[in-house]
Amino acid sequence: MKEKADEKFMRQALDEARKGAGFTSPNPAVGAILVERARILARGYHRQAGADHAEVDCLRKISGPVPPGAILYVTLEPCSTRGRTAPCVDYIIERGVRRVMIGAVDPNPKHRGRAIEMLHRAGIEVSTGVLESKCTALNEAFNKWIRTRQPFVIAKCGMSLDGRLTAPPTDSQWITSVQSRHDAQELRATVDVIIVGAETIRQDNPRLTVRIRSANKQPWRVILTRSGRLPHNANVFCDSHASRTLIYRKQRLRTVLRDLGRREMTSVLLEGGGEVLSEALDQGLIDKVQIYIGAKLTSGSVLAFGGKGARLTAESFHLKSARYERFGHDVRVTGYLESPARIVLK
């Protein structure tokens, strides 16, 4: 029964953390709750980089002393070093918290376990691993970036049953449904950067904006071009977010991703076109896919992933943790790419 109670409260802390998902980069999304005798006394979450961390946000809502029997549930190991804010492990100790339940430990090898040790030295009881997989999954982009300084790359596209990104040339209809396009907007709202190729700008003139949430969250827009010839009146150069549009000319996608990582951009959404998606797949740069398959066969001119391809089926990328969901008449496929080398090693 005790374990179930801890999971119940950690789920509530995860609910808090999700409020900040997509807004905290380059920091992780973290939630915290303070519980005494199965009653939640305070809740908190990290809203954005530079704002109070979840533990501080939660504990500051307790005006008096923290009750000696209270337990602080936090989805991620508290920070132990000074960054934009002071180490929140110090504030936990200062406020007199006596028990802390941690979901996932710090993914940064330089800091991993340091806060736990500090809490132990202060006489605080610490438990870890409560809903660890869920707490870890919440920050998959941050977890990769903090270890490698490379952004987490999601390939997203809407394609026909025959793998095409385009409809017949004289047809302007969407391949995917309204439900799929709305869901894709939700994904846009979680990333730092959207990348497209120059041909997508020329042919589709997309806005590449988030149109379902506050304008406070607008990803950077990156255009990849070889020639540098782009329409000056394109939406991405003329709208209110034009200052958040970057152009990379004659640079390989791998190089662009490295530069974005140096700029503290932790998550990237590849939205096309076919050349960009194909290059990403051929070079093994994709971490996750989110593909919407419309119930149409278009025989369009642009393949979603029309790169070099694998020489043998055994050398193909495999999808792990795959999920299939219906959106109207469409099917959404999500999963993580596993390289052929890793599959062979198993």
Side-chain angles (χ1 to χ4, degrees):
M1 293 296 292
K2 181 64 171 63
E3 182 180 359
K4 290 183 178 179
D6 287 339
E7 290 181 357
K8 169 188 171 183
F9 291 123
M10 190 60 76
R11 284 192 190 94
Q12 301 241 17
L14 276 166
D15 288 342
E16 292 298 310
R18 291 187 186 101
K19 294 176 182 178
F23 295 92
T24 62
S25 183
N27 291 348
V30 183
I33 61 171
L34 187 67
V35 177
E36 183 193 27
R37 296 178 183 178
R39 184 171 66 92
I40 296 176
L41 304 180
R43 303 171 184 265
Y45 71 98
H46 186 41
R47 287 167 171 76
Q48 62 183 33
D52 285 341
H53 288 189
E55 305 91 326
V56 176
D57 183 46
C58 176
L59 293 173
R60 280 185 173 162
K61 294 171 182 174
I62 301 294
S63 56
V66 172
I71 305 173
L72 180 66
Y73 290 82
V74 59
T75 57
L76 182 66
E77 180 181 353
C79 67
S80 57
T81 57
R82 178 175 289 276
R84 291 179 173 88
T85 61
C88 46
V89 67
D90 292 345
Y91 190 71
I92 294 171
I93 295 170
E94 176 188 325
R95 289 304 306 271
V97 175
R98 305 312 303 160
R99 293 186 64 194
V100 178
M101 306 290 294
I102 295 172
V105 296
D106 194 329
N108 188 339
K110 296 179 180 178
H111 306 150
R112 188 180 182 91
R114 182 187 295 177
I116 295 171
E117 183 181 344
M118 293 170 68
L119 293 170
H120 278 310
R121 286 203 304 265
I124 298 172
E125 182 182 341
V126 182
S127 298
T128 62
V130 182
L131 297 184
E132 182 176 11
S133 61
K134 293 183 181 297
C135 293
T136 299
L138 179 66
N139 288 302
E140 59 189 9
F142 172 80
N143 294 342
K144 178 187 177 183
W145 178 79
I146 201 65
R147 291 192 303 266
T148 67
R149 295 294 160 170
Q150 297 283 319
F152 187 83
V153 178
I154 306 169
K156 188 276 290 184
C157 65
M159 67 183 188
S160 61
L161 282 170
D162 49 345
R164 312 291 172 146
L165 294 177
T166 54
T170 58
D171 190 352
S172 61
Q173 282 194 340
W174 290 92
I175 292 175
T176 55
S177 66
V178 172
Q179 296 97 317
S180 291
R181 299 198 297 276
H182 184 274
D183 186 68
Q185 283 284 321
E186 294 280 356
L187 178 60
R188 275 186 183 176
T190 68
V191 300
D192 295 337
V193 185
I194 300 169
I195 295 181
V196 298
E199 195 61 22
T200 296
I201 298 297
R202 297 187 193 106
Q203 297 297 323
D204 301 337
N205 193 19
R207 286 181 284 173
L208 304 178
T209 53
V210 176
R211 297 186 288 277
I212 57 172
R213 290 191 182 185
S214 165
N216 290 335
K217 174 59 180 181
Q218 171 54 49
W220 285 84
R221 301 173 298 195
V222 166
I223 316 302
L224 307 182
T225 175
R226 286 191 290 269
S227 67
R229 293 191 298 272
L230 295 166
H232 297 299
N233 61 347
N235 287 324
V236 292
F237 303 134
C238 300
D239 65 13
S240 60
H241 304 297
S243 62
R244 293 178 67 82
T245 300
L246 301 174
I247 299 172
Y248 287 85
R249 185 180 178 188
K250 293 183 179 179
Q251 294 197 41
R252 297 179 66 187
L253 180 56
R254 187 184 298 277
T255 303
V256 172
L257 292 173
R258 285 179 184 147
D259 185 62
L260 295 175
R262 285 192 291 268
R263 293 170 179 255
E264 296 191 335
M265 299 181 189
T266 66
S267 56
V268 165
L269 184 63
L270 301 179
E271 291 211 9
E275 287 189 20
V276 174
L277 293 171
S278 297
E279 180 183 354
L281 183 63
D282 285 344
Q283 295 187 18
L285 301 176
I286 299 171
D287 296 297
K288 184 178 183 179
V289 297
Q290 186 154 313
I291 299 173
Y292 301 86
I293 304 174
K296 301 180 179 74
L297 290 91
T298 70
S299 297
S301 59
V302 181
L303 283 168
F305 296 93
K308 298 175 182 176
R311 292 187 307 112
L312 302 168
T313 301
E315 297 177 357
S316 303
F317 285 92
H318 285 225
L319 204 61
K320 62 179 181 178
S321 303
R323 295 175 56 196
Y324 306 88
E325 298 178 66
R326 288 280 300 273
F327 284 84
H329 294 295
D330 302 344
V331 174
R332 187 187 76 179
V333 182
T334 57
Y336 300 85
L337 285 196
E338 189 170 40
S339 70
R342 289 188 60 186
I343 296 165
V344 171
L345 287 174
K346 287 182 177 179

